Amino acid sequence: HGEQLLSVIIASYNSKRTINDCLRSLENQTTDKDFEIIVIDSSTDDTAKFVKERFPQVNVHQSQERKYPESARNIGISVAKGEIIAFIDADCIADKNWIHELLKAHQSPQPVIGGAIANGNPGYVGWAAYFCELTQWMPGVQTKWLVDLVTGNTSYKREVFEKYGRFMEGPYSADTAFHWRLCQNGIRLHFVPSILVYHRYIDNFIKFLSHEYFHGQSFARVRVEAKNFSRLKSSTYMILSPLIVLKLFLRTGIINLKNRIYLLHYLKALPLFMLGIIFWTTGECVGYAKGWNKANKENT
């Protein structure tokens, strides 16, 4: 089999601190199958130079302007040679069987397969950040169907991009919009927890809160654009946004009670987690307000 079966794409922005462990984990895979690694880098901290020196087999593409993850991933898709295109983040560490499990899962006809994200940053802030963003994809559960996956551990058969286009350029959460689009077209997203990566999350308190705020705002913006929200719908979501706190709290609580792998950590991190979802919700509310203002301007 001369051509490469699998392309692994890593979007990188100022990730010199974490990318070494990520690439090292890909070097130490248990598979004997060939795969290519592509790093799309728009850093200002010499990450590209570092990768080229340490990992000469990695294919590095540099961009002078800052690329958000989805834009970087789109560049990766355009240069990838594999029939299966997998993504991992520069701040993730792949389990040693990651490639093996991923290729095994892709023997099925499923076009989109996502894996579990374990917490690789066990501090107090790290756990709170993990529960704010990644509870739905924690390890230790059964395989299931989902409406969204984390692109930091998701793989696609190439035809998905050929048929449905690429990720929305620009904002954070654009992968979510892509997954919604696939679901609307009847494509099911398969979650296979044996495909495992460890994600090293934010461990700084202020950074954590500002990230949640920013992420909430990005999510609202993507939702408004992808689902074509009217002014009424945007303002309704804005008014009801305090209920988002309750919804997120209940959802994460229920998932952690059912799947007890991280229950103790969840209970310990609860106060900080609550603060995180309040910041997320505030951001989301601002995002809907901006969407509403945009709709207003376009209609006047």
Side-chain angles (χ1 to χ4, degrees):
H1 202 318
E3 64 189 294
Q4 266 164 328
L5 188 64
L6 173 69
S7 301
V8 177
I9 297 171
I10 304 169
S12 153
Y13 176 71
N14 290 354
S15 55
K16 199 171 162 183
R17 206 168 57 94
T18 57
I19 202 164
N20 182 58
D21 291 345
C22 176
L23 292 170
R24 187 76 64 228
S25 74
L26 292 174
E27 269 187 345
N28 297 329
Q29 290 292 305
T30 55
T31 186
D32 55 355
K33 299 280 191 287
D34 260 354
F35 60 96
E36 64 169 349
I37 303 171
I38 301 165
V39 171
I40 308 295
D41 182 72
S42 61
S43 302
T44 54
D45 71 349
D46 281 345
T47 301
K49 184 169 171 272
F50 171 78
V51 172
K52 283 174 189 166
E53 284 169 7
R54 286 281 177 94
F55 303 92
Q57 76 286 12
V58 171
N59 193 340
V60 181
H61 288 256
Q62 257 174 298
S63 164
Q64 293 314 306
E65 57 176 292
R66 163 83 204 264
K67 295 282 180 203
Y68 279 105
E70 278 15 283
S71 309
R73 287 173 185 140
N74 284 342
I75 297 169
I77 295 163
S78 66
V79 298
K81 299 186 187 86
E83 301 114 75
I84 297 165
I85 295 174
F87 297 99
I88 187 171
D89 286 348
D91 53 4
C92 286
I93 294 166
D95 179 76
K96 66 182 191 308
N97 298 317
W98 187 64
I99 298 275
H100 172 76
E101 291 292 336
L102 197 150
L103 290 174
K104 192 170 89 179
H106 269 284
Q107 284 166 7
S108 77
Q110 300 309 330
V112 184
I113 298 173
I117 313 264
N119 184 15
N121 201 0
Y124 185 51
V125 176
W127 277 113
Y130 177 85
F131 292 123
C132 276
E133 308 223 346
L134 298 167
T135 306
Q136 292 182 76
W137 304 280
M138 62 165 78
V141 293
Q142 301 296 310
T143 58
K144 54 187 171 183
W145 302 100
L146 293 173
V147 292
D148 196 14
L149 295 162
V150 182
T151 322
N153 186 13
T154 296
S155 49
Y156 307 79
K157 291 188 170 63
R158 178 182 280 283
E159 73 241 23
V160 172
F161 299 111
E162 285 166 0
K163 197 167 175 188
Y164 299 102
R166 303 279 161 90
F167 296 111
M168 195 164 131
E169 294 276 332
Y172 265 96
S173 302
D175 52 342
T176 299
F178 184 67
H179 293 148
W180 285 341
R181 195 161 85 224
L182 294 180
C183 289
Q184 278 164 352
N185 283 287
I187 287 196
R188 304 175 82 191
L189 311 182
H190 199 200
F191 177 71
V192 181
S194 59
I195 305 169
L196 180 67
V197 304
Y198 296 85
H199 193 241
R200 293 200 295 191
Y201 234 92
I202 298 159
D203 52 6
N204 172 295
F205 178 68
I206 301 296
K207 244 188 186 161
F208 158 58
L209 294 179
S210 66
H211 178 79
E212 292 312 318
Y213 175 81
F214 175 70
H215 208 144
Q217 198 176 329
S218 303
F219 177 75
R221 188 179 137 198
V222 164
R223 197 182 216 168
V224 167
E225 279 179 39
K227 303 212 165 181
N228 235 333
F229 272 24
S230 62
R231 279 186 292 177
L232 177 67
K233 203 162 185 187
S234 286
S235 47
T236 308
Y237 269 73
M238 210 162 79
I239 293 157
L240 296 177
S241 60
L243 295 176
I244 298 168
V245 175
L246 190 64
K247 181 191 155 191
L248 293 175
F249 172 63
L250 288 173
R251 190 176 69 187
T252 31
I254 289 163
I255 292 172
N256 275 291
L257 283 169
K258 273 188 186 162
N259 170 22
R260 303 193 171 169
I261 180 168
Y262 289 154
L263 184 59
L264 205 62
H265 296 292
Y266 174 69
L267 295 172
K268 281 184 190 164
L270 205 51
L272 194 52
F273 161 71
M274 287 301 290
L275 193 58
I277 55 176
I278 288 166
F279 270 74
W280 168 290
T281 303
T282 309
E284 205 175 318
C285 186
V286 169
Y288 294 129
K290 283 185 174 170
W292 189 80
N293 285 336
K294 198 173 152 192
N296 256 353
K297 278 187 189 130
E298 281 165 7
N299 291 341
T300 50

